Short mmCIF file of all heavy atoms in Angstrom, two decimals:
data_model
loop_
_atom_site.label_atom_id
_atom_site.label_comp_id
_atom_site.label_asym_id
_atom_site.label_seq_id
_atom_site.Cartn_x
_atom_site.Cartn_y
_atom_site.Cartn_z
N MET A 1 17.77 -1.17 -51.62
CA MET A 1 18.53 -0.07 -51.02
C MET A 1 17.62 1.08 -50.61
O MET A 1 17.62 1.53 -49.47
CB MET A 1 19.56 0.42 -52.06
CG MET A 1 20.35 1.58 -51.54
SD MET A 1 21.94 1.05 -50.96
CE MET A 1 22.88 2.51 -51.31
N GLY A 30 4.49 17.53 -15.46
CA GLY A 30 5.49 17.71 -14.41
C GLY A 30 5.90 16.38 -13.82
O GLY A 30 6.13 16.26 -12.64
N GLY A 33 3.84 13.04 -10.55
CA GLY A 33 2.88 13.96 -9.95
C GLY A 33 1.93 13.39 -8.93
O GLY A 33 1.77 12.19 -8.76
N SER A 34 1.33 14.28 -8.20
CA SER A 34 0.33 13.94 -7.19
C SER A 34 -0.67 15.06 -7.27
O SER A 34 -0.55 15.95 -8.08
CB SER A 34 0.98 13.96 -5.82
OG SER A 34 1.38 15.27 -5.54
N MET A 38 1.41 21.00 -9.30
CA MET A 38 0.57 21.84 -10.15
C MET A 38 1.29 22.16 -11.44
O MET A 38 2.50 22.18 -11.51
CB MET A 38 0.27 23.14 -9.42
CG MET A 38 -0.64 22.92 -8.26
SD MET A 38 -0.70 24.37 -7.26
CE MET A 38 0.41 23.94 -5.98
N ASP A 50 -3.12 39.60 -8.89
CA ASP A 50 -3.65 40.95 -9.03
C ASP A 50 -4.69 41.25 -7.96
O ASP A 50 -5.25 42.34 -7.92
CB ASP A 50 -4.30 41.13 -10.42
CG ASP A 50 -3.26 41.10 -11.52
OD1 ASP A 50 -2.09 41.39 -11.22
OD2 ASP A 50 -3.61 40.76 -12.65
N ARG A 56 -9.26 40.44 7.00
CA ARG A 56 -10.33 39.53 7.41
C ARG A 56 -10.65 39.69 8.90
O ARG A 56 -11.15 38.77 9.54
CB ARG A 56 -9.98 38.09 7.08
CG ARG A 56 -8.83 37.55 7.82
CD ARG A 56 -8.79 36.03 7.73
NE ARG A 56 -7.94 35.53 8.78
CZ ARG A 56 -7.05 34.56 8.64
NH1 ARG A 56 -6.89 33.98 7.50
NH2 ARG A 56 -6.35 34.16 9.66
N TYR A 79 -5.05 23.77 -10.61
CA TYR A 79 -5.90 24.75 -9.92
C TYR A 79 -6.60 25.64 -10.94
O TYR A 79 -7.17 26.66 -10.59
CB TYR A 79 -5.09 25.59 -8.93
CG TYR A 79 -3.92 26.33 -9.52
CD1 TYR A 79 -4.10 27.60 -10.07
CD2 TYR A 79 -2.66 25.77 -9.54
CE1 TYR A 79 -3.03 28.29 -10.62
CE2 TYR A 79 -1.58 26.44 -10.10
CZ TYR A 79 -1.78 27.70 -10.63
OH TYR A 79 -0.73 28.37 -11.18
N ARG A 116 1.26 16.50 2.25
CA ARG A 116 0.19 17.21 2.97
C ARG A 116 0.38 18.71 2.92
O ARG A 116 -0.57 19.47 2.66
CB ARG A 116 0.17 16.78 4.43
CG ARG A 116 -0.47 15.45 4.66
CD ARG A 116 -0.36 15.05 6.12
NE ARG A 116 -0.86 13.70 6.28
CZ ARG A 116 -2.14 13.40 6.44
NH1 ARG A 116 -3.04 14.35 6.51
NH2 ARG A 116 -2.53 12.15 6.56
N TYR A 118 2.04 20.43 0.84
CA TYR A 118 1.89 20.90 -0.52
C TYR A 118 0.42 20.95 -0.93
O TYR A 118 -0.02 21.88 -1.62
CB TYR A 118 2.68 19.99 -1.46
CG TYR A 118 3.08 20.76 -2.66
CD1 TYR A 118 4.04 21.73 -2.55
CD2 TYR A 118 2.42 20.58 -3.85
CE1 TYR A 118 4.36 22.51 -3.62
CE2 TYR A 118 2.74 21.34 -4.93
CZ TYR A 118 3.71 22.31 -4.82
OH TYR A 118 4.03 23.09 -5.88
N GLU A 124 -5.26 26.13 -1.43
CA GLU A 124 -5.29 27.60 -1.37
C GLU A 124 -5.29 28.18 -2.79
O GLU A 124 -6.04 29.11 -3.08
CB GLU A 124 -4.08 28.11 -0.58
CG GLU A 124 -4.00 29.61 -0.44
CD GLU A 124 -5.14 30.23 0.37
OE1 GLU A 124 -5.85 29.49 1.07
OE2 GLU A 124 -5.33 31.44 0.27
N ARG A 147 -9.95 29.88 2.09
CA ARG A 147 -9.60 29.00 3.21
C ARG A 147 -9.23 27.63 2.62
O ARG A 147 -10.04 27.03 1.92
CB ARG A 147 -10.80 28.86 4.15
CG ARG A 147 -10.58 27.92 5.31
CD ARG A 147 -11.50 28.22 6.47
NE ARG A 147 -12.91 28.30 6.13
CZ ARG A 147 -13.83 28.86 6.93
NH1 ARG A 147 -13.50 29.34 8.10
NH2 ARG A 147 -15.11 28.89 6.55
N GLU A 152 -7.41 17.31 4.14
CA GLU A 152 -7.91 16.85 5.44
C GLU A 152 -9.42 16.65 5.52
O GLU A 152 -9.90 16.04 6.47
CB GLU A 152 -7.49 17.84 6.54
CG GLU A 152 -6.02 18.18 6.58
CD GLU A 152 -5.13 16.98 6.84
OE1 GLU A 152 -5.64 15.96 7.33
OE2 GLU A 152 -3.94 17.07 6.52
N MET B 1 24.61 2.10 -49.70
CA MET B 1 24.60 1.73 -48.27
C MET B 1 24.57 0.20 -48.15
O MET B 1 23.68 -0.43 -48.70
CB MET B 1 23.37 2.33 -47.61
CG MET B 1 23.42 2.23 -46.11
SD MET B 1 21.93 2.94 -45.39
CE MET B 1 22.33 4.67 -45.46
N LYS B 159 -7.93 15.11 14.33
CA LYS B 159 -6.51 15.22 13.99
C LYS B 159 -5.86 16.27 14.87
O LYS B 159 -6.00 17.46 14.62
CB LYS B 159 -6.37 15.58 12.50
CG LYS B 159 -6.95 14.51 11.58
CD LYS B 159 -7.03 14.94 10.14
CE LYS B 159 -7.62 13.83 9.28
NZ LYS B 159 -7.75 14.20 7.88
N GLY B 201 -11.21 29.72 12.81
CA GLY B 201 -11.94 30.00 11.58
C GLY B 201 -11.09 29.86 10.32
O GLY B 201 -11.54 29.34 9.32
N ASP B 204 -4.37 29.59 10.66
CA ASP B 204 -3.41 30.52 11.24
C ASP B 204 -2.28 29.74 11.91
O ASP B 204 -2.43 28.56 12.22
CB ASP B 204 -4.08 31.41 12.28
CG ASP B 204 -5.11 32.33 11.64
OD1 ASP B 204 -4.90 32.74 10.49
OD2 ASP B 204 -6.14 32.61 12.30
N SER B 242 -0.37 33.47 1.88
CA SER B 242 -0.98 33.74 0.56
C SER B 242 -1.66 35.10 0.54
O SER B 242 -2.50 35.35 -0.31
CB SER B 242 -1.97 32.64 0.20
OG SER B 242 -3.08 32.68 1.06
N LYS B 243 -1.27 35.96 1.46
CA LYS B 243 -1.96 37.25 1.58
C LYS B 243 -1.83 38.11 0.32
O LYS B 243 -2.66 38.97 0.07
CB LYS B 243 -1.42 38.02 2.79
CG LYS B 243 0.01 38.49 2.65
CD LYS B 243 0.50 39.11 3.93
CE LYS B 243 1.87 39.75 3.78
NZ LYS B 243 1.90 40.85 2.82
N ARG B 266 4.85 33.87 -9.60
CA ARG B 266 3.48 34.01 -10.05
C ARG B 266 2.96 32.67 -10.55
O ARG B 266 3.67 31.95 -11.24
CB ARG B 266 3.45 35.04 -11.19
CG ARG B 266 2.22 35.86 -11.15
CD ARG B 266 2.43 37.15 -11.92
NE ARG B 266 1.31 38.01 -11.66
CZ ARG B 266 1.18 39.21 -12.18
NH1 ARG B 266 2.11 39.68 -12.96
NH2 ARG B 266 0.13 39.94 -11.91
N HIS B 267 1.75 32.34 -10.19
CA HIS B 267 1.10 31.09 -10.62
C HIS B 267 1.82 29.86 -10.09
O HIS B 267 1.75 28.80 -10.67
CB HIS B 267 1.01 30.99 -12.14
CG HIS B 267 0.34 32.16 -12.74
ND1 HIS B 267 -0.98 32.46 -12.51
CD2 HIS B 267 0.82 33.15 -13.53
CE1 HIS B 267 -1.29 33.57 -13.15
NE2 HIS B 267 -0.21 34.02 -13.77
N ASP B 287 6.71 24.79 -7.04
CA ASP B 287 6.32 24.14 -8.30
C ASP B 287 6.44 25.10 -9.47
O ASP B 287 5.74 24.98 -10.45
CB ASP B 287 4.91 23.57 -8.20
CG ASP B 287 3.87 24.66 -8.11
OD1 ASP B 287 4.26 25.83 -7.93
OD2 ASP B 287 2.68 24.35 -8.23
N GLY B 290 6.77 23.41 -12.73
CA GLY B 290 5.92 22.25 -13.00
C GLY B 290 5.66 21.49 -11.72
O GLY B 290 5.00 22.00 -10.83
N ALA B 291 6.20 20.29 -11.62
CA ALA B 291 6.00 19.50 -10.41
C ALA B 291 6.87 20.07 -9.28
O ALA B 291 7.86 20.74 -9.53
CB ALA B 291 6.37 18.05 -10.69
N GLU B 316 9.08 14.27 -8.30
CA GLU B 316 8.74 15.29 -7.30
C GLU B 316 9.73 15.15 -6.16
O GLU B 316 10.14 14.04 -5.83
CB GLU B 316 7.37 15.01 -6.66
CG GLU B 316 6.17 15.29 -7.48
CD GLU B 316 4.91 14.97 -6.67
OE1 GLU B 316 4.93 15.07 -5.43
OE2 GLU B 316 3.93 14.60 -7.30
N GLU B 382 -1.15 5.27 7.83
CA GLU B 382 0.10 6.00 8.08
C GLU B 382 0.61 5.73 9.49
O GLU B 382 -0.16 5.80 10.45
CB GLU B 382 -0.13 7.50 7.92
CG GLU B 382 -0.49 7.91 6.51
CD GLU B 382 -0.92 9.36 6.42
OE1 GLU B 382 -1.92 9.71 7.06
OE2 GLU B 382 -0.25 10.13 5.72
#
Side-chain angles (χ1 to χ4, degrees):
Chain A
M1 178 100 150
S34 65
M38 291 168 260
D50 292 336
R56 66 164 198 223
Y79 57 88
R116 282 176 186 275
Y118 207 71
E124 180 65 15
R147 177 157 52 196
E152 308 298 341
Chain B
M1 191 180 280
K159 298 171 180 178
D204 294 327
S242 67
K243 68 186 187 62
R266 216 159 190 181
H267 306 295
D287 68 350
E316 286 181 29
E382 295 171 299

